[in-house]
Amino acid sequence: MTAVRGRGASPRVVVVGAGIVGCSLADELTARGWTDVTVLEQGPLPAPGGSTSHAPGLVFRTNPSKCLTEMARYTVEKFGGLRTPDGQPCFDAVGGLEVATTPARLADLHRRAGLAASWGIEGEVVGPEECRELWPLLDPDRVLGGFHTPGDGLARALPASRAQRESAAARGARFLDRTTVTGIEQRGGRVTGVLTDRGAFPADHVVSAAGFWGPVIGRMAGVDVPLLPLAHQYARTTPLAALAGAVREATRPILRHQDRDLYFREHADRIGIGSYAHRPLPVDPFTVPRYDDAPVMPSSYPFTADDFAPSWQDAEALLPALAGTRVDEGFNGVFSFTPDGMPLLGETRETRGFWLAEAVWVTHSAGVAKALAEWMTEGRPSLDVHACDLTRFEAAQRSPAYVEQRSAQQFVEVYDIVHPLQPPERPRPLRVSPFHARQSQLGAHFLEGGGWERPHWYEANAPLAAALTLPPRDAWSAAHWSPVAAAEARATRERVALYDMTPLRRLEVTGPGALGLLQRTTTNNVAKKPGAVTYTLLLDEAGGILSDLTVARLADQHFQIGANSPADLDVLLRAAPDDVRIRDITAGTCCVGVWGPLARDLVQPLTRDDLSHRGLGYFRARRTHIGEVPVTAMRLSYVGELGWELYTTADLGLRLWDTLWEAGQRHGVVAAGRSAFNSLRLEKGYRAWGDDMTSEHTPYEAGLGFAVRMDKGDFTGREALLALAARGEPARRLTALTLDDPAAVVLGKEPVYVGGRPAGYVTSAGYGYTLGRCVAYAWLPPLAPGTPVHIAWFGEKTAATVAEEPLFDPQMTHILK
């Protein structure tokens, strides 16, 4: 998305909100030469009354999200270089300590240590004695161990805001407090200015960094901002005798007691205690009082002592020195949660020039500002932010009821041990394919993605698994898994299976300019005769992979695209000329994957058209009928076996399933789920965008150079790829690994060690039932096949070996027949 400049060298930018995000963004923008920046704040400076004004400032960088970890890392680096008016740094690296009081939490801390190693954060799991040395007030009999991160610590949000405000102002930015935004002006689908109670401010770009007021500002621009403000309890104790005489604000690490949803920090001779243990306390952003009407400040609500009482008891149990003290002051501070717990970043397509920087915590504030400033001034952030992209939520996930339920659940689970496959409990089911009733009858175990109910395995296939011998799994790798998946994978390799591919996104691109659009925006040559299917990539201007697509040319001016996320639609719509029509047809259609060596025996008798290899070759498409059902059949396979993707309209989906199911009985057909699918695609080496590659990776690094046609003409990212090629071989590659121990399993995001040192991380992994061992893909320096490596799994090193791709059927004999 190329930045749109206004008149002159520097576009006019208006930032709504002078909290830590708005001040950080103004500093980052002006440092990049965009100096015509105005920051509007409804409250007074320096403490305007939003979440920044009451933030306790704890910064724990390690996160399952690489993106959030990198943002927190930058925040620490930047704030460490800023100074308060009295010369103190705006970040105090006292360290972090997360303690475990249960075996499950201790195991999870080992997993977090693995995440830290993957993302390059210094940290280690330490024993009870070292925990006590780091925090002498801990009850040693309760603590089983801890995760210590020396570089974490305390961010001083208001001084950091002030320091960045001053540096931005020195470059030309202006900050106006006591200015309430009343409207966003627009013309021709672009923002033109901001209306306030103190006049109008012309703008080429408007950024909403309004915190929990984000939905209010968004409504003025006609933009949904799916976040929920929630109140969170924080209290300070009376002075502790054990801390008497303390001079410094804090000397001990910031402390987490996640088994009881608590965190702690020192305030000289007092302790600050934050609690997520209480019931969710939602706040309507449209009813938050103005600064002058609030009893304390708009983000500070009265402390509800009854909600805090259980947390006080848990705090005393962990820190016996609290006995004899009490809560001296407390408040319920408001901050923002989204349905998936991630920030909301990016420019809206419906209102060009209107940007969001919302649901951002102090921990990630400077990192978010850097990414957004790069995005605005250079057209892309250097960090992959797809997990924060404001386009990521489906329409079904933007209803107020959905946002409220899922965001409140994010609050409840903020310190919970959450398995990466663990589905939310409600609201479900939300989106179901036309096959849902049949899947339920077969005992489908559903997980969820994008609001869709996705079968991961079927209990009807349990008898097939009884005859298999599989190595035992530990509790973590066995969660949300079943040995039935092995039986379904085997049935796919040996007979035939039906896969529900309905949740995969489908776009329809039509019109005279359709071919030209796809040639300009994707890497491969799609200028082929109707009936051709092409695997291709969407890149950004720097050659980073935004997505991978399958493009089927159904007619001269009609293309069907298999895409990944709503962001793909957004990219194409932004680039589309007036003579191109693009529709998301996912909801009105469905798809069955029919794969296995007997797939043709099943499908051919159901149609009069020739589905032989000669009649419909690999990566070809044809409109035909399966029984009474009109379908678009695409000869594709993501499991490494013969077969088709069969598409039809949603109203005919159930008929299609039943027709295939009935005809398949004589061939031993099974319904198979995503668990088997993932195993099979890993064996074949098929990449999963968002896991295996992102905008931080190029096609050649990811092993996808075959999808790039440099001789087809210009396309987005081509110049960057030419420049990269001139530099020689990539310094890293997506690398296939197989675990040496047939019983070992990893799931993804674990660190990989080469020569005893962290060298990269696992992207996606799963047990390869055909191969009889776990397969993992990882970003690593170039390594020769056969090179030994180790993968960390809950604190233990698991041996693995670099493998040559593809691991399964390198001659393609299973597919090309």
Side-chain angles (χ1 to χ4, degrees):
M1 284 164 270
T2 304
V4 179
R5 291 182 175 268
R7 294 185 298 273
S10 179
R12 299 164 300 179
V13 180
V14 175
V15 179
V16 181
I20 189 63
V21 178
C23 292
S24 297
L25 180 60
D27 189 38
E28 295 287 339
L29 284 171
T30 56
R32 288 167 173 77
W34 282 26
T35 55
D36 191 352
V37 177
T38 301
V39 183
L40 305 177
E41 174 53 58
Q42 64 179 342
L45 294 174
S51 302
T52 301
S53 302
H54 65 70
L58 283 74
V59 176
F60 289 91
R61 292 166 297 166
T62 303
N63 191 285
S65 165
K66 180 178 180 289
C67 172
L68 290 188
T69 298
E70 294 291 350
M71 288 174 169
R73 187 205 310 272
Y74 182 76
T75 300
V76 166
E77 292 173 356
K78 186 175 187 183
F79 288 5
L82 303 176
R83 292 295 181 265
T84 66
D86 61 357
Q88 297 298 311
C90 291
F91 180 80
D92 192 353
V94 293
L97 180 64
E98 304 175 36
V99 296
T101 59
T102 64
R105 181 67 63 180
L106 184 59
D108 191 61
L109 294 185
H110 281 287
R111 185 173 69 95
R112 288 182 59 75
L115 290 170
S118 289
W119 313 146
I121 301 296
E122 180 186 0
E124 64 174 335
V125 176
V126 298
E129 291 184 5
E130 190 163 353
C131 289
R132 181 67 185 274
E133 291 176 6
L134 292 165
W135 251 88
L137 305 185
L138 287 168
D139 182 348
D141 295 331
R142 290 185 177 270
V143 175
L144 303 180
F147 175 44
H148 180 222
T149 46
D152 290 341
L154 290 168
R156 298 183 174 95
L158 287 176
S161 296
R162 175 176 175 172
Q164 292 177 103
R165 193 165 61 244
E166 290 175 350
S167 63
R171 302 186 194 104
R174 57 176 175 165
F175 293 78
L176 303 177
D177 63 358
R178 297 292 189 175
T179 304
T180 300
V181 173
T182 59
I184 306 295
E185 292 187 305
Q186 307 173 47
R187 184 172 59 251
R190 286 199 59 86
V191 296
T192 57
V194 177
L195 301 176
T196 76
D197 59 355
R198 294 175 59 182
F201 295 84
D204 302 301
H205 298 271
V206 175
V207 183
S208 177
F212 54 79
W213 284 285
V216 179
I217 303 301
R219 180 175 292 183
M220 296 178 190
V223 173
D224 281 336
V225 180
L227 66 78
L228 177 70
L230 288 154
H232 160 60
Q233 293 197 301
Y234 191 77
R236 295 192 192 194
T237 69
T238 53
L240 277 70
L243 300 179
V247 177
R248 289 182 56 188
E249 179 185 6
T251 59
R252 296 173 178 83
I254 50 177
L255 178 66
R256 272 176 170 167
H257 180 23
Q258 291 156 295
D259 287 323
R260 289 294 182 269
D261 298 307
L262 293 172
Y263 62 82
F264 305 85
R265 58 155 294 181
E266 294 170 294
H267 292 280
D269 62 351
R270 302 165 187 253
I271 298 292
I273 307 171
S275 173
Y276 292 98
H278 56 83
R279 61 195 168 92
L281 300 167
V283 173
D284 184 350
F286 293 90
T287 63
V288 174
R290 294 169 57 91
Y291 187 93
D292 293 330
D293 298 328
V296 180
M297 65 177 76
S299 64
S300 181
Y301 278 60
F303 188 67
T304 49
D306 288 345
D307 287 318
F308 195 72
S311 291
W312 178 258
Q313 293 179 358
D314 290 332
E316 276 191 319
L318 184 71
L319 306 176
L322 291 177
T325 68
R326 57 179 173 79
V327 173
D328 186 44
E329 56 180 337
F331 63 94
N332 290 2
V334 182
F335 65 144
S336 303
F337 280 81
T338 58
D340 60 3
M342 298 292 285
L344 294 167
L345 308 179
E347 181 193 27
T348 66
R349 179 177 44 79
E350 296 82 0
T351 307
R352 302 289 180 93
F354 184 77
W355 298 76
L356 294 184
E358 298 291 5
V360 181
W361 296 6
V362 172
T363 299
H364 313 109
S365 54
V368 162
K370 176 177 181 283
L372 200 68
E374 291 173 336
W375 208 340
M376 295 174 71
T377 62
E378 302 169 26
R380 71 182 292 271
S382 57
L383 176 68
D384 171 59
V385 296
H386 82 270
C388 306
D389 195 307
L390 58 85
T391 64
R392 68 187 183 271
F393 294 117
E394 307 281 352
Q397 297 173 303
R398 289 179 170 271
S399 71
Y402 184 96
V403 171
E404 182 172 352
Q405 289 184 66
R406 288 290 173 91
S407 300
Q409 190 62 26
Q410 287 294 325
F411 178 92
V412 170
E413 294 179 351
V414 70
Y415 279 172
D416 287 358
I417 300 173
V418 179
H419 193 278
L421 293 177
Q422 180 177 320
E425 295 179 359
R426 60 193 181 94
R428 290 181 63 197
L430 183 63
R431 307 175 78 187
V432 298
S433 79
F435 323 130
H436 186 262
R438 298 294 185 264
Q439 293 165 343
S440 298
Q441 292 168 2
L442 292 170
H445 180 85
F446 292 102
L447 300 183
E448 191 223 49
W452 286 100
E453 295 295 316
R454 292 184 166 195
H456 272 242
W457 66 84
Y458 294 85
E459 285 302 321
N461 297 324
L464 301 177
L468 301 179
T469 301
L470 298 173
R473 288 199 177 202
D474 61 84
W476 188 257
S477 63
H480 307 289
W481 171 85
S482 169
V484 173
E488 294 173 0
R490 182 173 180 177
T492 308
R493 290 277 188 244
E494 297 180 352
R495 300 191 304 279
V496 62
L498 305 185
Y499 288 82
D500 182 1
M501 306 302 290
T502 300
L504 300 185
R505 183 170 306 278
R506 292 171 292 285
L507 308 178
E508 182 183 73
V509 182
T510 57
L515 175 61
L517 169 68
L518 296 174
Q519 287 287 77
R520 291 191 306 274
T521 54
T522 74
T523 60
N524 213 333
N525 183 17
V526 298
K528 301 172 182 175
K529 293 180 180 180
V533 183
T534 305
Y535 178 81
T536 188
L537 306 172
L538 280 176
L539 304 183
D540 61 26
E541 293 288 355
I545 303 172
L546 295 177
S547 189
D548 63 340
L549 312 174
T550 54
V551 177
R553 192 173 192 180
L554 303 181
D556 284 342
Q557 298 182 9
H558 184 183
F559 296 82
Q560 181 173 310
I561 297 177
N564 285 296
S565 76
D568 299 348
L569 174 63
D570 191 74
V571 168
L572 293 174
L573 285 171
R574 287 174 186 270
D578 292 339
D579 62 350
V580 176
R581 184 185 184 201
I582 305 174
R583 293 194 306 138
D584 187 330
I585 61 172
T586 311
T589 56
C590 60
C591 178
V592 182
V594 186
W595 291 309
L598 301 183
R600 186 173 285 119
D601 297 301
L602 191 163
V603 176
Q604 182 63 77
L606 301 175
T607 180
R608 296 181 181 180
D609 290 309
D610 181 8
L611 296 187
S612 68
H613 186 57
R614 180 184 294 273
L616 186 63
Y618 194 47
F619 267 78
R620 299 288 299 173
R622 168 184 294 168
R623 289 192 174 101
T624 184
H625 289 80
I626 300 298
E628 301 85 1
V629 180
V631 301
T632 299
M634 295 189 194
R635 179 86 183 277
L636 307 176
S637 175
Y638 288 94
V639 299
E641 297 292 339
L642 170 68
W644 299 267
E645 293 177 357
L646 302 176
Y647 297 89
T648 191
T649 52
D651 59 319
L652 291 168
L654 190 60
R655 182 67 171 183
L656 175 62
W657 179 279
D658 286 346
T659 300
L660 293 168
W661 185 255
E662 181 179 349
Q665 293 308 301
R666 60 183 295 193
H667 303 292
V669 70
V670 302
R674 294 291 299 182
S675 186
F677 177 92
N678 193 51
S679 170
L680 298 170
R681 71 98 183 165
L682 283 166
E683 291 181 331
K684 192 60 181 168
Y686 294 138
R687 278 57 168 148
W689 178 84
D691 292 322
D692 296 321
M693 70 275 193
T694 69
S695 64
E696 295 180 10
H697 310 110
T698 69
Y700 304 117
E701 293 174 325
L704 298 176
F706 67 88
V708 179
R709 293 290 181 268
M710 299 295 287
D711 58 352
K712 74 162 186 170
D714 194 27
F715 58 86
T716 304
R718 184 177 184 275
E719 292 302 315
L721 294 185
L722 286 172
L724 289 170
R727 298 178 193 171
E729 287 297 310
R732 61 181 177 180
R733 292 188 182 279
L734 186 62
T735 304
L737 307 174
T738 56
L739 275 61
D740 294 356
D741 181 355
V745 175
V746 298
L747 299 180
K749 300 187 178 180
E750 298 85 5
V752 182
Y753 293 77
V754 179
R757 295 186 177 184
Y761 60 91
V762 174
T763 58
S764 57
Y767 201 85
Y769 301 110
T770 314
L771 303 175
R773 63 189 63 247
C774 185
V775 177
Y777 275 81
W779 281 105
L780 291 169
L783 299 171
T787 302
V789 301
H790 288 85
I791 303 174
W793 177 255
F794 286 88
E796 301 293 330
K797 297 283 185 66
T798 298
T801 302
V802 174
E804 189 157 6
E805 293 188 84
L807 303 175
F808 174 79
D809 188 26
Q811 302 303 318
M812 300 283 284
T813 58
H814 285 241
I815 293 177
L816 303 180
K817 61 180 182 180

